[in-house]
Amino acid sequence: MAYGVISHMKAKEVFRVKQSHGKGIVEIVIWQVPTPVPPSEHPYKYRLVYVVNGKWVVGYDNERGKGDHKHLGDTELPYGFVSPQQLMADFMADVKGVEQ
């Protein structure tokens, strides 16, 4: 049965970068997973962070039980995941917004 094979697949890293950006560091890690991380409905697990002076300034993730969300400073907001490309674009727009 084909669906049994999928359940045994491992997460596959799709994108990873860690580099200086502005006054801090940007780290982006995106994995394709065999089954969605509940309550997310897409096949991706991700963590995107912008850290300045050791403080998490912008963050996007989809931790189990919370689903897709973003952190802007101390505020946590829901995030509407569309695609990995849109995720990175939205994250970088928020990073740019806090840099100004």
Side-chain angles (χ1 to χ4, degrees):
M1 296 184 174
Y3 64 87
V5 173
I6 292 173
S7 66
H8 298 292
M9 290 174 50
K10 294 183 179 181
K12 175 185 170 189
E13 190 172 277
V14 175
F15 188 84
R16 178 182 292 265
V17 67
K18 183 175 184 178
Q19 63 187 32
S20 296
H21 183 86
K23 296 179 181 178
I25 295 172
V26 163
E27 182 175 13
I28 300 173
V29 184
I30 303 172
W31 299 272
Q32 186 171 12
V33 293
T35 57
V37 176
S40 298
E41 297 181 359
H42 54 77
Y44 297 98
K45 171 74 178 143
Y46 58 86
R47 180 184 73 248
L48 298 82
V49 294
Y50 177 52
V51 179
V52 177
N53 296 323
K55 184 177 178 191
W56 205 20
V57 178
V58 177
Y60 282 55
D61 67 297
N62 63 331
E63 89 185 57
R64 184 174 295 276
K66 281 191 166 186
D68 303 294
H69 62 282
K70 65 181 181 176
H71 305 262
L72 300 175
D74 294 329
T75 303
E76 184 176 309
L77 302 163
Y79 175 69
F81 182 91
V82 175
S83 69
Q85 295 81 6
Q86 189 63 52
L87 172 70
M88 289 189 280
D90 293 342
F91 170 73
M92 291 309 296
D94 280 339
V95 167
K96 185 175 181 180
V98 299
E99 290 180 326
Q100 298 176 351

